[in-house]
Amino acid sequence: MADPTPTNATEFTVSEISFAVKASIEDQFGYVRVRGELGRVSRPASGHIYLDLKDEKSVLSGVIWRGNATKLAVKPEQGLEVIATGKLTTFPGQSKYQMIIDRMEPAGAGALMALLEERKKKLAAEGLFAQERKKPLPHLPRVIGVVTSPTGAVIRDILHRVRDRFPVHVIVWPVRVQGESCADEVAAGVRGFNALAVDGPIPRPDLLIVARGGGSLEDLWGFNEEAPARAVAESDIPVISAVGHETDVTLIDYVADLRAPTPTGAAELALPVRSELVATLGDLHLRQYGAIARMMDRRRSDLRSAARALPQPRDILALAQQRFDMVSGRLSQSLIASTQDRRARLNLASARLRPALVSDRITRQAERLDVTFNRLGQSLVQSTQNHHSRLGLAQSRLRPTVMSERIRVQKDRLADRGERLARIALLTHKQKKEQLEATSRLLVSLSHKGVLARGFALVRDRDGKPMRRAEAINAGQALCLEFADGSINATASLIDSFEPGPVAPPKGAADIPASSQGLPETAGGDNAEASAFGIMGADAISAEDIEAHLLTIAGKRARRRVARAKSIPVEKVPEPDVAKVPEVKNKTKGAALGKSAKTKPLDEKASTERLEKATAKLTAAIEKEILARIKDTPKPTKVRKKSDDDAQGSLF
């Protein structure tokens, strides 16, 4: 056997080739739409649908899974030309490719069919297709209204069929059955028939027929509009839909009370055949006559049978007559016996009712009455005596002296109780007063009013919240200072707290009173320096502070400074004559005066000019800021009382 020819070709398994082809087809044809005619359509028990899409040259296998099969808008049937949408894949088990179909619609009418399905769902959701809304057709209508074209073959077929079956009055409402105006005209025809009066000059139809011949989906589209469907649903007259052939189904067919396969079939459904009706009536008449005759014969036979079963009248009365004779024979004897018995009972009663017996009974009752009367008199006397004795005893107990003694005793007890009550009330009032005073003292000791009375102040913000720390207060913040005698409004300054430096008092200044130096005396020594030098003192606001405040208002960052005491040379003050200086009682005032005499500004004129310039700048900046706030502030809806904070015009 010859050796195989050597080769370097790669070997593949069947599965590898199959899955490689599957991946290639799925990658190249991901999602496609295929137009073709349905060939073989198979529906196995699994619920899936297997079919073939074919044209004049090729066949493509397709499958619709069970989940998508229930959602199809059109039912797959052999010979139907459709447009299928899905993806291509392969089936390795049989080495063939196929299409997994997700959606399917009729070819050439996909948009119209989708629109029709959407309208069907909408009207069905509104309940227009409900079976309980269907009205029954009249058995024999006298007037039939037809909504159709007056020139077509449909009206002639309907009239011919009406004439053959049962001639009635037919009224035609002419409309266009194709075109853009078809839907509105059909709806107007149905509503027009319903608007006719019952007793008007034009008779009101008992039945309506909406008819048209066959055609394509586009030709019949006027009957798939909502206007004619809603008009038919609102009609009070029963409506038969006869549009197209038996295979043509329009939207109006679902709404109508009855659907006819053809216009001729609508006439047949509306009217019975007259000859058949006459024959039926004749047959029913004969059947009724025969039934009545048979019923009379049966009733006559039953009556005879019942008469034979009844007894004779003389037999019925014979028994009663016999009983009457027997009773009448015993009646005379019973009457005699009853009379004798009544006489005996009367004699017995008359013997018991003799006058002597009645007299004896009256005598006995009279004796008993006399005895009872005597006993009653004795009882009355005894009772009167008992009451007299009880009354005498009570009279002895109710002497005026006894009552006066009891009243005196009760008065003494009442006076004693009154004195005890007064003592208790006085003691209780004293205790309550002491408790109230102790509570008042405790309240005064715990209240902040006592602290304010000792010279302290309570700082609050604009909302009345206490400010406990200096770092919580911002520059320019409105504050309320509460003292013991009232409250004032203030504004926080940009300047930090003043830190005084050590300044040595002049020699001998501590012993010199303020009055001897020509200076006014102050209540405290802490304000002596400010009183001595006024606005140019050590605690006064300098031009640098005002400039820093102006920069802050303008939105620029200002550098704060800490005012410190400077060593300012002072002129030597001649020592006063100690003998001429009166004795200073308050050493603290002398010390403060010595401190104030220590410092004196060098160039007061230059500082005054700088202060005036800074004040002018500050005034202009404040006016500008106030105008800006007035513009930005909305008008209040309620008049508010102007507070002290609003009245302040300075931030110092």
Side-chain angles (χ1 to χ4, degrees):
M1 184 175 180
D3 295 331
T5 303
T7 177
N8 58 355
T10 305
E11 296 181 355
F12 298 94
T13 63
V14 176
S15 298
E16 290 177 351
I17 292 294
S18 299
F19 286 107
V21 173
K22 178 181 178 65
S24 176
I25 292 178
E26 289 180 354
D27 292 342
Q28 187 174 359
F29 302 93
Y31 203 75
V32 296
R33 287 169 56 88
V34 180
R35 182 189 184 111
E37 181 181 352
L38 292 178
R40 175 186 59 86
V41 178
S42 175
R43 293 182 177 84
S46 61
H48 309 312
I49 299 177
Y50 299 94
L51 50 85
D52 292 334
L53 287 172
K54 63 180 181 178
D55 56 9
E56 63 275 6
K57 295 181 180 180
S58 304
V59 177
L60 174 63
S61 298
V63 58
I64 305 175
W65 303 126
R66 180 175 55 188
N68 294 327
T70 58
K71 302 178 183 178
L72 293 179
V74 60
K75 182 179 180 181
E77 296 180 359
Q78 188 174 1
L80 181 64
E81 187 175 3
V82 297
I83 297 177
T85 305
K87 60 181 180 180
L88 290 180
T89 183
T90 62
F91 181 57
Q94 296 182 359
S95 298
K96 69 175 184 178
Y97 68 97
Q98 61 184 3
M99 180 179 182
I100 307 299
I101 300 174
D102 297 333
R103 295 194 306 272
M104 181 181 293
E105 57 188 10
L112 295 180
M113 293 298 295
L115 181 59
L116 179 60
E117 290 297 327
E118 181 181 356
R119 289 177 180 173
K120 284 173 60 178
K121 293 179 180 178
K122 178 181 178 182
L123 296 181
E126 295 179 6
L128 299 185
F129 299 165
Q131 191 64 30
E132 55 270 12
R133 297 185 69 260
K134 308 294 183 181
K135 295 178 285 294
L137 303 181
H139 178 65
L140 188 61
R142 293 177 298 174
V143 180
I144 297 177
V146 181
V147 181
T148 187
S149 175
T151 60
V154 173
I155 186 62
R156 291 194 295 271
D157 293 342
I158 293 177
L159 293 177
H160 178 71
R161 184 59 63 183
V162 168
R163 194 180 306 111
D164 290 345
R165 295 178 69 84
F166 201 101
V168 294
H169 189 188
V170 178
I171 301 176
V172 179
W173 190 291
V175 296
R176 292 185 180 91
V177 294
Q178 185 175 345
E180 296 181 357
S181 62
C182 171
D184 296 335
E185 292 183 5
V186 171
V190 175
R191 292 191 175 96
F193 275 129
N194 282 271
L196 293 176
V198 178
D199 299 330
I202 301 176
R204 179 186 174 93
D206 300 324
L207 181 66
L208 295 182
I209 298 177
V210 180
R212 189 205 186 281
S216 62
L217 179 62
E218 291 79 5
D219 296 337
L220 302 178
W221 190 252
F223 297 90
N224 290 324
E225 298 288 346
E226 289 190 23
R230 294 187 181 276
V232 171
E234 297 170 358
S235 175
D236 297 331
I237 304 173
V239 180
I240 297 178
S241 173
V243 179
H245 299 299
E246 188 172 359
T247 57
D248 297 328
V249 180
T250 58
L251 194 61
I252 198 174
D253 295 335
Y254 297 99
V255 186
D257 299 306
L258 184 64
R259 177 183 179 271
T262 59
T264 305
E268 294 176 355
L269 294 174
L271 293 170
V273 180
R274 186 176 183 277
S275 58
E276 294 179 357
L277 187 60
V278 171
T280 302
L281 289 176
D283 182 57
L284 293 176
H285 177 69
L286 292 176
R287 291 174 60 186
Q288 182 183 16
Y289 180 77
I292 292 175
R294 289 192 298 272
M295 183 186 67
M296 294 300 293
D297 292 341
R298 187 172 60 255
R299 295 292 177 84
R300 190 179 294 110
S301 176
D302 294 342
L303 182 59
R304 289 181 186 144
S305 300
R308 285 194 299 267
L310 291 175
Q312 295 295 328
R314 60 180 180 270
D315 296 337
I316 297 174
L317 296 177
L319 182 59
Q321 187 175 5
Q322 185 179 1
R323 292 177 59 189
F324 177 74
D325 294 339
M326 294 175 61
V327 171
S328 61
R330 295 199 304 266
L331 181 60
S332 58
Q333 298 177 2
S334 298
L335 182 60
I336 294 172
S338 177
T339 303
Q340 293 176 355
D341 182 62
R342 295 291 180 178
R343 185 179 291 112
R345 293 175 62 185
L346 180 60
N347 293 333
L348 181 61
S350 61
R352 295 174 60 188
L353 293 175
R354 288 176 301 176
L357 295 177
V358 176
S359 301
D360 295 341
R361 189 169 183 179
I362 291 174
T363 302
R364 288 195 300 271
Q365 294 295 335
E367 292 175 356
R368 292 179 60 186
L369 181 61
D370 293 338
V371 173
T372 303
F373 180 75
N374 294 331
R375 292 176 61 187
L376 179 60
Q378 295 176 1
S379 299
L380 180 60
V381 172
Q382 184 66 28
S383 177
T384 304
Q385 292 176 357
N386 293 336
H387 281 83
H388 273 294
S389 61
R390 293 175 62 185
L391 181 59
L393 181 61
Q395 183 179 3
S396 62
R397 295 174 59 188
L398 294 176
R399 290 196 304 267
T401 56
V402 177
M403 297 299 297
S404 300
E405 184 66 22
R406 292 188 64 182
I407 291 173
R408 186 184 61 77
V409 172
Q410 295 297 332
K411 284 184 178 181
D412 294 342
R413 293 178 63 186
L414 182 61
D416 181 59
R417 298 289 176 85
E419 292 177 359
R420 292 174 61 188
L421 182 61
R423 290 195 300 271
I424 293 173
L426 183 61
L427 180 61
T428 303
H429 180 269
K430 183 178 180 181
Q431 291 178 354
K432 296 298 182 181
K433 185 177 180 180
E434 292 176 356
Q435 292 179 2
L436 180 60
E437 291 176 354
T439 305
S440 300
R441 289 193 298 272
L442 180 61
L443 178 62
V444 170
S445 64
L446 296 179
S447 176
H448 69 284
K449 297 293 184 180
V451 180
L452 297 180
R454 292 196 296 272
F456 294 92
L458 177 62
V459 182
R460 290 191 176 94
D461 59 2
R462 184 182 294 271
D463 298 331
K465 181 179 179 182
M467 307 298 293
R468 295 182 174 84
R469 302 181 63 85
E471 61 184 11
I473 300 176
N474 300 321
Q477 183 176 357
L479 302 174
C480 178
L481 305 180
E482 182 180 354
F483 298 92
D485 56 347
S487 301
I488 64 171
N489 294 328
T491 306
S493 175
L494 289 172
I495 304 176
D496 295 337
S497 59
F498 177 70
E499 299 178 4
V503 179
K507 183 177 181 181
D511 300 329
I512 301 175
S515 60
S516 63
Q517 299 180 8
L519 299 175
E521 294 184 0
T522 58
D526 296 338
N527 298 329
E529 185 179 356
S531 301
F533 298 101
I535 195 171
M536 297 307 299
D539 289 338
I541 302 172
S542 64
E544 288 80 4
D545 297 331
I546 298 175
E547 291 178 359
H549 178 65
L550 293 176
L551 291 176
T552 304
I553 294 176
K556 299 180 180 179
R557 183 176 182 183
R559 183 180 62 183
R560 293 192 177 187
R561 68 177 183 84
V562 178
R564 301 183 181 274
K566 302 178 181 179
S567 103
I568 302 174
V570 297
E571 299 178 358
K572 294 183 178 180
V573 180
E575 297 182 0
D577 191 359
V578 179
K580 296 180 180 180
V581 177
E583 184 178 359
V584 181
K585 297 180 179 181
N586 191 353
K587 296 181 179 181
T588 305
K589 293 183 179 180
L593 183 61
K595 292 180 181 180
S596 61
K598 175 75 176 179
T599 58
K600 183 177 181 182
L602 290 178
D603 193 357
E604 184 175 355
K605 183 178 180 181
S607 298
T608 304
E609 291 178 358
R610 292 181 63 185
L611 179 61
E612 290 177 355
K613 292 180 181 180
T615 304
K617 292 182 181 180
L618 176 61
T619 304
I622 291 175
E623 292 177 354
K624 184 177 179 181
E625 182 181 5
I626 292 174
L627 292 176
R629 291 184 179 181
I630 292 175
K631 292 180 181 180
D632 297 338
T633 304
K635 295 182 179 181
T637 57
K638 185 178 179 181
V639 178
R640 183 174 62 90
K641 185 177 179 181
K642 188 173 183 182
S643 62
D644 295 337
D645 297 338
D646 298 334
Q648 292 191 10
S650 176
L651 297 176
F652 299 98

